[in-house]
Amino acid sequence: MAIPITVLDCDLLLYGRGHRTLDRFKLDDVTDEYLMSMYGFPRQFIYYLVELLGASLSRPTQRSRAISPETQILAALGFYTSGSFQTRMGDAIGISQASMSRCVANVTEALVERASQFIHFPADEAAMQSLKDEFYGLAGMPGVIGVVDCIHVAIKAPNAEDLSYVNRKGLHSLNCLVVCDIRGALMTVETSWPGSLQDCAVLQQSSLSSQFETGMHKGSWLLVMFSLAFHSGDSSFFLRTWLMTPLHIPETPAEYRYNRAHSATHSVIEKTLRTLCSRFRCLDGSKGALQYSPEKSSNIILACCVLHNISLEHGMDVWSSPVTEPIEQPPEGEYEQMESLDLEADRIRQELMLTHFS
């Protein structure tokens, strides 16, 4: 279907007096299949984003012309899901690559402003108990309210002398801490940690750890594997009273059953992170690193996480097209560190195995 467009000069300005906008692209002029193939989301979802973000994307300035919120959102979705400012993406909605970049910045800011609205733990005890029941129904692991993992997202080098973002593979990245529920909905996302930080250091310094260490969600726990998947493999998380790990060398039938239940439950976040990168190709490195500062890259990652949760609320399948990648194993020599136990946490884990897996 031919779509009439006007490609704008690079100095086209986003906002204008009286909120006058240039409408270059009409959603009603194209099919749902076209929207899914180009922008990764269906028509009604895009309409919802226009309603949700429209006020933030229509802020008046002294400029004479403006790009509509609808066009800005399409530009941002095109970047998030493709990972590049391709000319064909800008051509499809009638704006230059420079204008696309500004649209991405605006939509990212608007989504980040709403992150706490869509990314959070359940607010009441009934919802928290329901979360535990759902996890228990998956593999028989009681008391679980979330599974935690880390993912490295490649970014451009901030500068030649800054090594804090160089991960163990020699690449510049952000190390992002994520917690999800059984549906794959994200309940905690921290995206600003430099890639040189090991996963255990990220967790220890995180606001998530502070919340649980101070007694929030007492009597509940998160699950984590020894060494985090998704390009990490550089560290281990320690057993805590609120953080259950598998046993490295199970010996009894109860320990084997506990490990199997732990692995089956933790696999939820492994699938979730694969799908997040599959849907938002700007995160998976297939088109190269994010070409932004660490702060802007962190916001783009968080914006994609917000969109992930919104898509779940709208009934989109979180695991519709997972990326299959091997799970990295921890380096040799870490196992002694892995079994450095918190004695109270070890008691809780032993009691858990005795009560539920014997």
Side-chain angles (χ1 to χ4, degrees):
M1 178 182 297
I3 303 172
I5 58 174
T6 302
V7 179
L8 307 178
D9 294 334
C10 289
D11 61 349
L12 176 70
L13 301 167
L14 284 174
Y15 304 121
R17 299 184 185 93
H19 299 271
R20 288 189 296 151
T21 63
L22 295 175
D23 296 318
R24 302 164 191 80
F25 183 94
K26 295 292 187 181
L27 287 177
D28 292 337
D29 291 340
V30 297
T31 64
D32 287 328
E33 291 76 13
Y34 176 84
L35 291 173
M36 287 295 296
S37 66
M38 285 293 289
Y39 308 106
F41 293 94
R43 188 185 318 274
Q44 291 306 315
F45 182 87
I46 296 171
Y47 279 139
Y48 172 78
L49 292 181
V50 172
E51 180 180 354
L52 177 70
L53 307 178
S56 296
L57 300 177
S58 302
R59 296 164 180 157
T61 74
Q62 298 302 310
R63 305 302 185 183
S64 60
R65 313 189 86 182
I67 296 178
S68 69
E70 181 178 290
T71 301
Q72 293 184 60
I73 288 168
L74 288 172
L77 292 180
F79 168 70
Y80 297 147
T81 58
S82 73
S84 68
F85 291 116
Q86 297 179 29
T87 301
R88 72 178 186 90
M89 188 66 68
D91 288 350
I93 52 178
I95 63 175
S96 67
Q97 291 188 35
S99 293
M100 272 200 67
S101 181
R102 290 191 290 271
C103 290
V104 170
N106 288 343
V107 174
T108 297
E109 180 182 357
L111 287 168
V112 168
E113 288 174 353
R114 292 159 176 79
S116 62
Q117 177 182 345
F118 295 100
I119 300 175
H120 54 76
F121 276 92
D124 58 83
E125 190 59 36
M128 192 67 76
Q129 184 59 50
S130 177
L131 189 58
K132 294 180 184 179
D133 293 343
E134 290 173 347
F135 271 118
Y136 184 78
L138 176 63
M141 183 71 74
V144 178
I145 60 172
V147 283
V148 58
D149 213 333
C150 279
I151 177 173
H152 282 257
V153 176
I155 63 172
K156 74 173 183 179
N159 59 64
E161 299 177 356
D162 189 352
L163 300 180
S164 64
Y165 291 92
V166 179
N167 60 33
R168 72 181 187 89
K169 294 185 176 182
L171 304 174
H172 291 82
S173 68
L174 292 170
N175 195 359
C176 307
L177 181 71
V178 181
V179 178
C180 79
D181 68 12
I182 195 169
R183 299 181 305 121
L186 308 178
M187 300 184 294
T188 291
V189 178
E190 299 187 25
T191 61
S192 60
W193 298 102
S196 64
L197 276 184
Q198 294 187 349
D199 302 329
C200 57
V202 169
L203 180 64
Q204 289 167 353
Q205 298 177 41
S206 67
S207 59
L208 175 73
S209 178
S210 298
Q211 291 174 13
F212 277 86
E213 291 288 355
T214 55
M216 185 178 292
H217 311 307
K218 191 173 183 180
S220 307
W221 42 75
L222 305 174
L223 297 189
V224 69
M225 298 299 284
F226 286 137
S227 183
L228 298 188
F230 275 90
H231 319 304
S232 303
D234 56 3
S235 60
S236 63
F237 282 163
F238 298 98
L239 183 69
R240 294 289 182 266
T241 57
W242 52 271
L243 188 72
M244 292 290 109
T245 64
L247 292 99
H248 169 46
I249 306 177
E251 296 178 348
T252 68
E255 291 175 347
Y256 276 102
R257 284 191 286 268
Y258 166 84
N259 269 15
R260 285 196 296 269
H262 188 291
S263 177
T265 306
H266 189 267
S267 68
V268 171
I269 195 165
E270 295 167 8
K271 292 187 291 184
T272 298
L273 291 180
R274 287 190 176 102
T275 302
L276 186 71
C277 289
S278 177
R279 173 169 286 161
F280 301 104
R281 303 309 294 265
C282 68
L283 306 182
D284 75 351
S286 64
K287 297 294 177 64
L290 287 172
Q291 297 299 302
Y292 296 93
S293 67
E295 180 180 3
K296 290 182 178 179
S297 296
S298 172
N299 285 338
I300 287 172
I301 300 166
L302 183 54
C304 291
C305 292
V306 173
L307 287 172
H308 170 88
N309 275 10
I310 295 175
S311 69
L312 272 179
E313 290 188 6
H314 282 252
M316 297 181 67
D317 184 1
V318 66
W319 297 324
S320 57
S321 56
V323 176
T324 56
E325 294 183 15
I327 302 301
E328 295 191 19
Q329 298 301 317
E332 295 293 331
E334 285 193 6
Y335 291 124
E336 181 178 353
Q337 182 188 41
M338 290 176 181
E339 293 295 273
S340 299
L341 299 182
D342 176 315
L343 293 180
E344 176 61 14
D346 186 40
R347 183 194 67 76
I348 291 174
R349 186 171 66 176
Q350 292 295 331
E351 183 177 315
L352 177 64
M353 288 186 288
L354 179 64
T355 304
H356 293 277
F357 295 99
S358 293

